Amino acid sequence: MNRQGAGVVVLAFLAAVPTARAEDARKLLVESEARHRTKSQQYAGDLTVVAKDGKVRKKAWRSWREGYAGDAKLLIRFHAPPEVKGVSFLSLGRPGKGPDQWLYLPSMKRERRIATQDRDASFVGTDFNYEDMEEFDQSKFAVSLKGDETADGQVCWLIEARPEENAGKSLYEKKLLWLRKDILFGVRQDVFRKGEKEPAKRLHLSDVQQVEGHWVAKALEMTDLKKGSRTTILLQELAFDRPQPAGRFTLQNLNREGGED
Amino acid sequence: MRFLLSTLSLSYATRNKAKTFLTLLGVVVGVATFSAIRGAQSTLVGGIRSTVDRMAGKAQLQIAMEGGVPEELTETIRELPGIRSQSPVIEQVVVPERGELGSILVLGVDLLGDREMRDYSFEGDDADLDDPLLFLAQPDSVAVARPLAKRAGLKIGDPLVLKTSRGLRTVKVRGLMTPKGFAEAFGGNLIVMDVFAAQDLFARGRRFDRVEVRLADGTTLEEGTRTIEKAVGPAYRVETPDRRGAQLEKLITNFVAGFNISSGFALGIGTFLIFNSFAVAVNRRRRDIGTLRSLGATPRQVMLLFLVEAAVLGLVGGVLGLLAGASMSQSFLKLMEQTSEQVFGIINASEAHIDGTLAVQSVLLGLFASLVGAWEPSRAASRIPPTEAFAKGSFQAKRGPLSKPRVIGGLALFGAAIAFTFRPPFGGNPLILMVMGLCVASVAMLASPASQALIDRVAPFAARISPVAGRLAADSLMANPRRTSGTVIATTISIGFVLGLGGYMGSTKASMLRWMHDVLTSDLYVRASANFTNPDSRFPASFREELAALSGVRSVESYRGMRITVDGEPAMLGTIEVPLMMKRVKHDFLQGNDESMLRGLSERGEVGVSDNFHRLHRAGVGDKVTIATPSGTVSFPIAAVFRDYTNDRGTIFMDRSVFLRYWKDDRVDTYDVNLISGADIGKVRDEIRVLVGGRMPALISTKREFVSEIGKAVDAFYSLVRITVFLALGVAFLGIVTSLLISVAERTREIGILKALGAVRAQIARSVALEGVALAVVGYVLSLPIGLLIAYFMETTVAEVFAGWRMPHQTPWGLLTELAIALPLVSALAAFVPARPAARTKVTEAIEYE
């Protein structure tokens, strides 16, 4: 979802539009996408998973993204701890459909496809699942403006997004998005599983800064409201619009060992 | 009646504890054997279904193919309409290095998405499994079911060494599963690991054992099956877990049928034991009966008294037998499970249990057997006139009914048994019960007159052997025909069953050994898996060239076996380079010959079929066999029919080139290596070991070793029948011992008279022992025709009904000799032991006995 934050759930929203235009959620999202679109993004991420019982697990990865929303390509390679070094994840967006996703395991020297059915599975033991790893594409959702609300001290638009039936299966019935009115940047998202009235998970985007002229949240925290666990990702060494080598986002490259790209 | 029971019956039982115990033992052994075998059998069959169901979880369909499902198949069905999810599976039973833990089922699943299929229950300290990345990134990761972990003392991070086809492999516990749903399968002896790691661990290459499918809401099973079948082609089996369970059950039909026969035998012998015991008991208590009759008891009351006694004995024996059976059934089940895994590749692990229905059946059978056994003696007791009952010794001297109608009736029944053996009007268990019933009935009717006739001829010989003891024994035998005939009947029926079952097994094994001698003529056999029928790993085809290049090797044949379905019935497909094989193998043809087989299979793409396939499917030369192949459904003409014991459901043979053309799968189960004359087998074997070392699992056997290994598998198939033969033998000896013990006790008065006339103790004991030997010899001689008929019936009619085979008869000389030695010894001992104390009894006491 979130192209800024870690290749993990991220929302791109428009700048504040305080007048009657704000009622048009679609326009807000389209404008946000146009404003925050970047050709590429890369960073080093530190991931911390805190279980309900307080048990902490840490991992570190490098992430590269090319494209945006429905046509985004994402490659992640883990480099710590040593037990998971070289494990890689590739996601190739398909316009109008769910993306193709693969996980590469160096111990077996082979990639394995993440099936559509598996999108609910935890992504590498975090509170994100594989669907959460997809870029948010507003064109796959029916959206409506629900008003405005304050989140993290910022006045935000509250937008409800429901997956379109013809845009591929989704685990969720709806998502609630909070966009800062001033920069149209998403700072919170609640996701609701099918048939449930309470949100299953909540994503907070914080430490929002400008890097190379782009707004970006350098800290993401996904909380599983049922399990009581949370996953934090801290983004470092952020860079935008760097040219990506040809073939980086391919299965051949995914299967390349060493973890360096 | 209560008064009669407490005064007459209870008093008799108290005075004759040993005899009552032996009679009770007959019921207990019969019921215990029956309930143990049936309990284990139903647990095995139910367990197979239950394991399939539990392992399947929420999967509605399973896609499988012999030799494994290629990974690409998952791509083929990924986008099919109506498919909600799919999940590949590898299933393997392994033995841990710590053998005491028992066999463990390893289930390889795609942990990324398998929760769609199965409910996992990870709780407590197994949080590591919540980090699938760590679990997946380390291919030695396993999650262990808690009951197994508890027994093995395993915790997170502990290693567990498993014996695999590639040798010892260590896995590491990274998760624990609470037994729930599928984790209860295989008795909780379950390990879960990643399916791709399992591929490597168990040498599956890039194949899965099956792919499980869950359908989208609104898609029916028929629609889903049709869609998948259309997409994957006819070579794949697309079936519900329930149907798969039914197919697996079908595979072990013959194996299970053997248990029915065995348990029937055990119960039959037990029933006769009761009959014999009651018959003797009635004879012993005729003075009591006479007293009762004199005091006004009606014949009906006397009969009822004995039947109530029998009912009490039957109920007590039934309950005790049930308890004994429950404790025996787990051992039987383990044996059955090992065989079903070794011979059929079917996995199961359950705790044997005897359900309520079987428990009631068992107790009722004990009751029924007792009533049946006691009916005729009770009737006889009720008809004893008081005057005769009071006349000491007169009854024993009375000859049994030697009426012509009885002899004719017995002969007619035996003739009917022979007729049903040679021309069975129907099949299955009813036929077996019918023939066995006729045999028992005919023996019951004929044994008495036959034994009297035999004893009349044998007794004088006994007199010649020992002037005093022999003459005493001979006089006793001829003077007490009624008493002796009971023992003879017991011996005849029991030994008849033993000879029948044992003879059948002997013929079967001899036929198979001869066949193996004709067919397994290569010098070395290089196998990829220890499992003959369902190999868990295979060789690449290219390995043949490497073997052929070794010095000393003349030729190499590539054998590949495969379980297939023909006309809805399971069968085996065997493929090999036929021209090479025909140079060394001697086939026993029923139809066709070497020429038609060679040309048909290697030049015209035809098939050869085994004799049992020919009989089971009624297909011979000129007919066609239709087989679903990955390239479509193909009808293969039959070129030859020959004797073959590869599979009990029938085997089809084709040339390897034809198999490769249609199946496009060149992997090999076994390489048959033929050496040049004079080559050193040991040296070539060592070279092959070096060749495969570290690359692939391989078992290299010489011809003799290979035949011996197959022999073990055959033995495993008949293991339970063998146990039943021993049990039947035990029951037979028990019958003989009971009869003789009672017989000797009956002679106490006679012994007293002999002592009064000057006989010494040793002479009396020897004469009784000699009498026991004579009775055993007569019973043994009479059991020969019945035993050989039963053996022939099993070898031909029963074997053909179930497996399509007709085993050439082999007279079980070994068994006959063993019985000829053991039987007189046991009988002599059984008679001698009670005869000694009887001989010590005071003359006055002995004469007053009865």
Side-chain angles (χ1 to χ4, degrees), chain A residues 96-98 116 119 140 163-171 194:
Chain A
K97 291 181 178 176
T116 311
R119 297 199 307 169
K140 293 178 184 172
E164 296 275 15
E165 280 191 8
N166 56 0
K169 287 178 191 167
S170 173
L171 301 168
K194 284 177 179 163

Side-chain angles (χ1 to χ4, degrees), chain B residues 27-41:
Chain B
V27 188
V28 172
V29 171
V31 172
T33 313
F34 172 81
S35 58
I37 291 179
R38 293 303 291 261
Q41 177 193 342

Side-chain angles (χ1 to χ4, degrees), chain B residues 321-339:
Chain B
L322 178 65
L323 294 173
S327 60
M328 283 158 66
S329 63
Q330 186 60 34
S331 309
F332 282 14
L333 180 63
K334 283 281 160 229
L335 205 67
M336 292 180 192
E337 284 172 348
Q338 281 168 9
T339 306

Side-chain angles (χ1 to χ4, degrees), chain A:
Chain A
M1 276 159 144
N2 180 359
R3 61 191 193 274
Q4 253 84 330
V8 188
V9 195
V10 174
L11 304 168
F13 304 129
L14 293 175
V17 187
T19 60
R21 281 183 299 147
E23 292 173 19
D24 189 342
R26 177 72 61 195
K27 281 186 180 174
L28 284 172
L29 292 169
V30 170
E31 180 62 24
S32 171
E33 190 176 306
R35 181 175 291 196
H36 294 285
R37 174 179 280 272
T38 57
K39 287 179 185 168
S40 72
Q41 179 211 55
Q42 57 195 62
Y43 68 90
D46 286 332
L47 177 124
T48 305
V49 181
V50 183
K52 185 184 180 182
D53 60 3
K55 188 175 178 182
V56 176
R57 292 195 304 268
K58 289 177 179 286
K59 293 185 179 73
W61 69 46
R62 295 198 70 83
S63 167
W64 297 266
R65 175 184 59 75
E66 186 179 63
Y68 186 78
D71 62 351
K73 298 171 185 172
L74 174 69
L75 176 69
I76 290 174
R77 284 203 191 275
F78 288 84
H79 56 82
E83 297 85 35
V84 301
K85 186 175 187 297
V87 174
S88 307
F89 172 72
L90 177 68
S91 177
L92 301 178
R94 297 185 299 172
K97 291 181 178 176
D100 281 331
Q101 296 175 322
W102 292 269
L103 196 65
Y104 172 75
L105 299 169
S107 57
M108 294 185 208
K109 298 181 169 49
R110 62 193 305 183
E111 87 285 348
R112 53 202 293 176
R113 182 193 274 270
I114 312 296
T116 311
Q117 74 205 41
D118 305 336
R119 297 199 307 169
D120 194 22
S122 161
F123 175 70
V124 300
T126 67
D127 290 295
F128 296 96
N129 59 35
Y130 286 90
E131 180 167 332
D132 297 333
M133 298 298 293
E134 296 168 15
E135 289 279 327
F136 180 80
D137 182 356
Q138 51 80 25
S139 66
K140 293 178 184 172
F141 292 83
V143 294
S144 59
L145 193 62
K146 293 294 179 187
D148 52 76
E149 226 175 66
T150 302
D152 294 337
Q154 301 286 334
V155 182
C156 299
W157 295 112
L158 179 60
I159 295 174
E160 181 184 277
R162 289 178 178 269
E164 296 275 15
E165 280 191 8
N166 56 0
K169 287 178 191 167
S170 173
L171 301 168
Y172 302 123
E173 183 168 310
K174 67 175 181 181
K175 297 178 178 183
L176 286 180
L177 316 170
W178 281 260
L179 299 94
R180 269 174 57 170
K181 286 189 175 181
D182 55 350
I183 55 174
L184 270 189
F185 189 85
V187 291
R188 177 178 161 185
Q189 180 183 144
D190 285 3
V191 294
F192 295 74
R193 290 186 184 278
K194 284 177 179 163
E196 293 181 5
K197 290 183 177 170
E198 297 299 317
K201 294 194 286 189
R202 177 165 297 150
L203 175 70
H204 270 294
L205 298 94
S206 57
D207 195 10
V208 179
Q209 298 177 15
Q210 269 205 322
V211 177
E212 297 179 356
H214 297 279
W215 287 104
V216 61
K218 295 182 77 173
L220 310 169
E221 184 176 88
M222 177 69 97
T223 306
D224 189 315
L225 300 171
K226 288 191 174 167
K227 277 167 56 181
S229 56
R230 64 180 195 278
T231 300
T232 308
I233 302 168
L234 300 178
L235 281 60
Q236 298 161 28
E237 302 172 37
L238 271 156
F240 292 94
D241 299 330
R242 301 287 191 277
Q244 299 295 314
R248 167 166 277 169
F249 303 99
T250 60
L251 278 177
Q252 289 78 6
N253 182 51
L254 178 73
N255 290 346
R256 195 171 62 78
E257 282 189 79
E260 298 298 329
D261 262 276

Side-chain angles (χ1 to χ4, degrees), chain B residues 253-481:
Chain B
T253 302
N254 292 341
F255 183 50
V256 167
F259 306 152
N260 290 331
I261 297 170
S262 302
S263 59
F265 274 18
L267 202 73
I269 295 171
T271 304
F272 189 74
L273 206 60
I274 297 159
F275 169 79
N276 197 42
S277 303
F278 268 89
V280 178
V282 167
N283 294 346
R284 290 209 59 211
R285 288 154 67 187
R286 62 192 173 281
R287 270 174 68 84
D288 297 339
I289 296 164
T291 309
L292 281 176
R293 293 292 310 279
S294 302
L295 293 173
T298 62
R300 188 187 166 86
Q301 281 174 320
V302 172
M303 185 173 175
L304 197 64
L305 176 72
F306 279 94
L307 286 179
V308 171
E309 266 185 38
V312 171
L313 209 62
L315 277 175
V316 174
V319 170
L320 291 176
L322 178 65
L323 294 173
S327 60
M328 283 158 66
S329 63
Q330 186 60 34
S331 309
F332 282 14
L333 180 63
K334 283 281 160 229
L335 205 67
M336 292 180 192
E337 284 172 348
Q338 281 168 9
T339 306
S340 71
E341 187 190 329
Q342 187 182 354
V343 180
F344 305 102
I346 296 174
I347 53 166
N348 181 55
S350 313
E351 286 299 312
H353 66 278
I354 292 173
D355 60 24
T357 312
L358 180 57
V360 172
Q361 273 178 2
S362 300
V363 175
L364 285 180
L365 270 171
L367 179 67
F368 181 70
S370 295
L371 289 175
V372 166
W375 183 267
E376 183 53 33
S378 303
R379 207 168 65 91
S382 69
R383 290 180 178 184
I384 298 174
T387 48
E388 188 182 294
F390 284 116
K392 290 182 178 179
S394 67
F395 184 74
Q396 289 170 350
K398 191 178 175 185
R399 291 225 158 198
L402 268 171
S403 62
K404 249 187 186 176
R406 180 185 175 119
V407 174
I408 292 169
L411 286 172
L413 289 174
F414 193 62
I418 294 172
F420 280 135
T421 298
F422 286 94
R423 286 197 177 275
F426 44 84
N429 289 335
L431 175 68
I432 296 167
L433 284 173
M434 171 67 79
V435 172
M436 295 300 165
L438 287 171
C439 284
V440 170
S442 64
V443 169
M445 293 179 83
L446 289 174
S448 182
S451 67
Q452 283 174 24
L454 262 176
I455 284 167
D456 287 348
R457 282 159 184 77
V458 168
F461 286 104
R464 281 182 215 162
I465 293 169
S466 172
V468 179
R471 190 170 295 280
L472 284 175
D475 287 348
S476 172
L477 284 169
M478 287 190 287
N480 301 285

Side-chain angles (χ1 to χ4, degrees), chain B residues 179-263:
Chain B
K180 180 181 156 192
F182 92 101
E184 287 177 310
F186 210 67
N189 251 22
L190 182 77
I191 282 178
V192 169
M193 68 186 305
D194 183 55
V195 71
F196 294 96
Q199 275 183 334
D200 183 59
L201 187 66
F202 302 123
R204 293 289 203 277
R206 293 227 155 187
R207 285 173 183 263
F208 306 120
D209 291 350
R210 62 176 182 272
V211 173
E212 299 185 336
V213 174
R214 199 172 164 191
L215 301 174
D217 293 342
T219 305
T220 64
L221 279 175
E222 290 72 26
E223 288 167 351
T225 306
R226 214 168 32 244
T227 305
I228 297 170
E229 280 179 342
K230 194 177 169 191
V232 299
Y236 290 89
R237 294 192 309 274
V238 182
E239 56 199 5
T240 58
D242 188 50
R243 183 147 174 258
R244 180 166 165 254
Q247 286 288 330
L248 292 179
E249 272 180 33
K250 230 178 198 176
L251 277 176
I252 58 166
T253 302
N254 292 341
F255 183 50
V256 167
F259 306 152
N260 290 331
I261 297 170
S262 302
S263 59

